[in-house]
Amino acid sequence: MASEDITKLAESLAKTKVGGRQLSFKGQSLKLNTAEDAEEVIKQIEEFDGLEALRLEGNTVGVEAAKVIAKALEKKSELKRCHWSDMFTGRLRSEIPPALISLGDALITAGAQLVELDLSDNAFGPDGVRGFEALLKSPACYTLQELKLNNCGMGIGGGKILAAALKECHRKSSAQGKPLALKIFVAGRNRLENDGATALAEAFGIIGTLEEVHMPQNGINHPGITALAQAFAINPLLKVINLNDNTFTEKGAVAMAETLKALRQIEVINFGDCLVRSKGAVAIAEAVKEGLHKLKELNLSFCEIKRDAALTVAEAIEDKSELEKLDLNGNCLGEEGCEQLQEILEGFNMAGKLEMDFCLFQDSTPVPSPPVDVATFLAFPSPEKLLRLGPKCSVLIAQQTDASDVEKVVTALLRISSVFKDEAPVKTAVHETTDALMKKAFTSATFNSDAFITSLLIHMGLLKSEEKIKAVPSLYGILMTLNHMVQQDYFPKSLAPVLSAFVTKPNRALDSCSFARHMLLQTLHQL
């Protein structure tokens, strides 16, 4: 390691926080590739007596560094909490499983009894689950209470491997007279879909001790939702159910409503953007009315609920004295419906007490969608508008964008990528439109590629500018779009190192998009 690198590492480690039997290297952007790179980290671990919690978030750990860190952990039998989210930034997916295996084996060797394991925001995919499968099945996890795997790209395959490991852990721990008593499970944004969710539901039904389940944005439809509902019914201690941005439809909502009737400890229900529709909302309202006296938050926003059903939901909360928030935003209430809703809540003397969200509404009277043109889409982009431009959307946008003007190309690209969704029709439309636009730009004799990448980085908030330019609010869409772009023949390979350098640098805007960031860095590394 060069002397300047050692100095930089020493400065970072000076910020290490120690307290409450916790050793934290959180957010120090340490690049630990080799055993030598990890020497100072290992020293602090070895010298820490009674270590109970280790924070490695916001760093990047390679296979060799993981092996030597693992060696240091083999003597840490008191370790209970592993905060290991976002610690493989820029690593190849193939590097992550062996690193996790080394760390897991060390915990098993140490005889640790974990209470919390957090591997969120590590884009390891199904193979990554294999990396900690043995750990989950071992005595080190018989005591596990919190398992956090948010935004890991596990997919259906990873969900099934995880479910099998949890069931095996419960079987083995039960045989020793101390069954696995998992309380908190977090696995949002993992593309689990129905099969992955159904496999996990089976594990949940066996475990029976869950208090919080967070599985938003997983592409789960009513068969998977129904399986989860049946499993939740066998977990009487459930307090929080967060299934935001999955697709219940009426079938899934009715099944979940039946389960809610059997649960007495529920405090938070987040079914926002779940398409429960009016029939499902009425069923949920009945469950709320019949019980759920500890309910603090009910989110049914953007669920295509019509006015009468929304009013039924409002009427159901009359005696819910613990309720703090009701979210019916983005449903088909109409202005009159919003007023009626307000009147109902005022009648309960709850309007002043509640945090309410329902003033933004869709009119309850269906109206024909206005025609969309390129200018309208670019001014107010949305996935629906892009799709409504039709099959020639890519050609139309490319034709109407001045490819010789770098700023206009950057603006158009950011508007297109802002509507990115990991769903086939929208994803395809974004990719095709991006390809048409950028191929035209990069093949133009007057287009300045260096000026393009500079302007793009400024608009992404990754490069400072003398001019006041407002950065885009979210980098997820542009990072996912760039991940596609850089693999195309039209993309100048000379820009890849520049892009990689800026996306690798620590930046708050990138922290919330760690999965997309990792995907892009991995692709750039393979070019």
Side-chain angles (χ1 to χ4, degrees):
M1 183 185 285
S3 58
E4 60 268 23
D5 292 333
I6 294 172
T7 303
K8 186 178 178 182
L9 179 60
E11 289 172 353
S12 293
L13 290 170
K15 301 174 186 174
T16 301
K17 294 178 182 176
V18 178
R21 295 200 168 189
Q22 171 178 283
L23 179 60
S24 176
F25 301 94
K26 182 179 179 180
Q28 294 184 20
S29 301
L30 302 174
K31 295 181 180 178
L32 308 178
N33 299 317
T34 65
E36 186 182 4
D37 294 339
E39 280 179 359
E40 287 294 327
V41 173
I42 293 163
K43 182 182 177 185
Q44 294 211 35
I45 292 173
E46 288 177 340
E47 293 177 353
F48 197 114
D49 292 330
L51 180 64
E52 291 188 2
L54 178 62
R55 307 196 77 104
L56 292 173
E57 312 104 303
N59 300 289
T60 180
V61 181
V63 176
E64 293 306 313
K67 285 180 181 178
V68 290
I69 291 172
K71 195 70 179 172
L73 291 176
E74 286 181 358
K75 297 177 181 177
K76 300 299 172 182
S77 60
E78 295 179 47
L79 189 63
K80 291 179 173 63
R81 298 184 183 274
C82 298
H83 302 278
W84 295 348
S85 63
D86 189 21
M87 70 173 201
F88 296 112
T89 301
R91 299 289 168 187
L92 293 175
R93 186 171 287 186
S94 59
E95 291 181 86
I96 301 176
L100 287 173
I101 288 170
S102 295
L103 294 167
D105 286 349
L107 298 177
I108 297 169
T109 300
Q113 293 186 311
L114 295 186
V115 172
E116 179 179 0
L117 177 61
D118 186 355
L119 293 170
S120 299
D121 300 319
N122 289 310
F124 46 58
D127 292 341
V129 185
R130 293 284 187 202
F132 59 93
E133 180 185 17
L135 173 63
L136 279 181
K137 293 178 179 180
S138 77
C141 283
Y142 290 178
T143 50
L144 196 64
Q145 294 180 16
E146 301 179 31
L147 179 58
K148 300 173 182 178
L149 299 166
N150 201 57
N151 193 27
C152 292
M154 289 190 289
I156 294 171
K160 289 182 175 180
I161 297 167
L162 175 62
L166 287 173
K167 288 191 290 184
E168 182 69 1
C169 180
H170 186 272
R171 186 188 68 78
K172 286 181 169 181
S173 57
S174 297
Q176 292 194 6
K178 294 182 179 179
L180 171 68
L182 192 67
K183 293 181 179 180
I184 298 174
F185 180 83
V186 181
R189 294 183 67 178
N190 269 294
R191 304 192 302 277
L192 295 169
E193 301 181 17
N194 289 331
D195 289 350
T198 300
L200 285 166
E202 188 178 334
F204 296 162
I206 292 170
I207 293 168
T209 55
L210 289 167
E211 295 180 12
E212 295 185 22
V213 175
H214 303 263
M215 296 174 64
Q217 289 182 295
N218 269 299
I220 308 171
N221 299 325
H222 74 83
I225 296 298
T226 300
L228 287 171
Q230 292 167 350
F232 292 166
I234 317 171
N235 283 264
L237 301 177
L238 264 175
K239 295 179 181 178
V240 178
I241 302 177
N242 176 6
L243 294 174
N244 190 285
D245 200 7
N246 289 291
T247 308
F248 282 41
T249 66
E250 293 92 335
K251 289 182 180 179
V254 169
M256 193 61 71
E258 283 302 307
T259 285
L260 291 175
K261 291 177 182 178
L263 299 175
R264 292 287 176 263
Q265 306 300 319
I266 289 290
E267 295 178 3
V268 177
I269 297 171
N270 186 345
F271 298 159
D273 205 10
C274 282
L275 206 68
V276 305
R277 298 197 173 114
S278 294
K279 183 179 178 182
V282 169
I284 291 169
E286 288 175 2
V288 170
K289 190 168 186 175
E290 289 179 19
L292 306 188
H293 295 292
K294 296 183 179 182
L295 189 63
K296 293 180 179 179
E297 181 178 330
L298 176 59
N299 184 347
L300 295 175
S301 59
F302 297 94
C303 280
E304 291 192 9
I305 302 170
K306 293 183 180 177
R307 181 180 63 185
D308 290 348
L311 297 179
T312 301
V313 172
E315 289 167 351
I317 66 169
E318 180 176 3
D319 63 345
K320 302 299 174 269
S321 58
E322 300 295 317
L323 195 67
E324 298 170 358
K325 182 176 181 180
L326 173 64
D327 193 344
L328 290 169
N329 191 20
N331 287 299
C332 313
L333 306 185
E335 188 171 359
E336 184 181 346
C338 281
E339 291 173 357
Q340 289 177 305
L341 201 59
Q342 185 76 23
E343 288 173 6
I344 289 172
L345 296 174
E346 286 175 353
F348 299 158
N349 293 320
M350 296 182 80
K353 169 194 167 185
L354 276 177
E355 179 186 344
M356 299 177 294
D357 211 343
F358 55 80
C359 292
L360 292 177
F361 59 87
Q362 298 172 18
D363 200 296
S364 57
T365 306
V367 294
S369 299
V372 173
D373 55 21
V374 171
T376 304
F377 166 73
L378 291 176
F380 304 100
S382 72
E384 293 74 24
K385 287 190 186 119
L386 181 62
L387 295 177
R388 276 164 52 201
L389 280 172
K392 293 185 178 180
C393 63
S394 58
V395 177
L396 291 171
I397 291 176
Q399 284 177 345
Q400 296 184 40
T401 303
D402 183 358
S404 64
D405 189 321
V406 165
E407 285 302 314
K408 287 181 179 177
V409 171
V410 169
T411 300
L413 175 62
L414 290 170
R415 297 291 171 83
I416 294 163
S417 63
S418 71
V419 307
F420 179 90
K421 277 189 171 185
D422 199 15
E423 297 171 2
V426 177
K427 184 178 181 179
T428 301
V430 168
H431 285 173
E432 289 179 351
T433 307
T434 298
D435 290 343
L437 173 68
M438 298 314 302
K439 187 174 183 179
K440 178 184 177 184
F442 284 127
T443 55
S444 170
T446 57
F447 189 72
N448 187 326
S449 298
D450 292 335
F452 163 78
I453 199 69
T454 300
S455 176
L456 180 61
L457 291 168
I458 290 171
H459 281 276
M460 290 173 69
L462 305 182
L463 181 62
K464 290 183 179 179
S465 169
E466 293 180 3
E467 300 175 27
K468 287 187 177 180
I469 295 176
K470 189 176 180 181
V472 293
S474 171
L475 294 181
Y476 180 74
I478 186 60
L479 289 171
M480 294 300 284
T481 303
L482 283 168
N483 185 52
H484 167 81
M485 246 176 76
V486 300
Q487 299 177 64
Q488 310 310 308
D489 291 339
Y490 61 72
F491 185 81
K493 297 300 179 270
S494 60
L495 299 183
V498 180
L499 188 56
S500 180
F502 280 92
V503 176
T504 302
K505 280 174 137 184
N507 190 294
R508 281 187 181 179
L510 291 166
D511 290 344
S512 60
C513 307
S514 56
F515 176 76
R517 178 193 202 181
H518 180 89
M519 292 285 287
L520 176 57
L521 287 172
Q522 185 171 280
T523 301
L524 288 168
H525 185 80
Q526 293 172 337
L527 291 178

